[in-house]
Amino acid sequence: MAAGATYTPIATTTLGSGQTSVTFSSIASTYSDLIVVMNYSNAGSEYPSLQFNGDTGNNYSWLDVAGNGTSAVSYSGTNVASIPFLGYVVSGSNWGNVIAHIQNYSNTSIYKSVIGRSNYNASYAEACIGLWRNTAAINSITITHYVSATYQTGSTFTLYGIKAA
């Protein structure tokens, strides 16, 4: 699916200095799904993570599988405070990216699901699925870290809406 034909850019943030999180707020409910694209490096060794509508409670679950062509690992979490992308740690001069697809984000009768994929320039690739156990429409997304770190200058974060059919 070509991005130009179906994706509508909603917001982009490029960091001019280090930040511990980035928030997209006032997200309209006019799309079918949302896509978050992160291209980042960390000061510290930590994993990017998503939270919705300011919810920092233990209302998220996730499963992650990663590999480097030689070995594979898997992780999972239930009743945690965010949905992380744990396949690798990106720090220093290394850069990684995450593409997270948030499905049916404005449907108020279902929990919200996320399917993500990511890679890291030191040869890791990963897939992650996550669930936010809340039926509220998502109107804000915070990109933070699973524990604590700082996104470095030059990191970019973009939010797209997928046009409703």
Side-chain angles (χ1 to χ4, degrees), residues 11-25 27 36-42 48-54 139-145 149-159:
T12 296
T13 298
T14 300
L15 300 184
S17 62
Q19 289 183 215
T20 58
S21 66
V22 172
T23 299
F24 295 114
S25 58
I27 300 169
V36 177
V37 178
M38 305 173 230
N39 185 18
Y40 69 95
S41 184
N42 286 327
S49 189
L50 298 178
Q51 294 175 323
F52 305 118
N53 294 0
N139 57 33
S140 103
I141 299 169
T142 299
I143 303 163
T144 185
H145 291 90
T150 300
Y151 292 112
Q152 293 189 36
T153 300
S155 296
T156 60
F157 305 87
T158 303
L159 177 65

Side-chain angles (χ1 to χ4, degrees), residues 15-124:
L15 300 184
S17 62
Q19 289 183 215
T20 58
S21 66
V22 172
T23 299
F24 295 114
S25 58
S26 302
I27 300 169
S29 61
T30 55
Y31 305 97
S32 64
D33 299 1
L34 298 172
I35 303 290
V36 177
V37 178
M38 305 173 230
N39 185 18
Y40 69 95
S41 184
N42 286 327
S45 297
E46 203 31 71
Y47 311 103
S49 189
L50 298 178
Q51 294 175 323
F52 305 118
N53 294 0
D55 183 358
T56 60
N58 292 332
N59 300 310
Y60 304 86
S61 300
W62 54 272
L63 173 65
D64 187 280
V65 178
N68 64 3
T70 303
S71 62
V73 294
S74 66
Y75 308 94
S76 64
T78 57
N79 301 318
V80 293
S82 64
I83 298 171
F85 296 86
L86 290 178
Y88 54 86
V89 173
V90 175
S91 62
S93 61
N94 295 315
W95 288 79
N97 83 14
V98 172
I99 301 171
H101 182 165
I102 304 162
Q103 302 170 347
N104 297 307
Y105 76 101
S106 62
N107 185 333
T108 57
S109 62
I110 61 169
Y111 290 162
K112 306 309 176 282
S113 60
V114 177
I115 298 174
R117 58 192 184 276
S118 58
N119 63 54
Y120 164 48
N121 66 357
S123 302
Y124 264 95

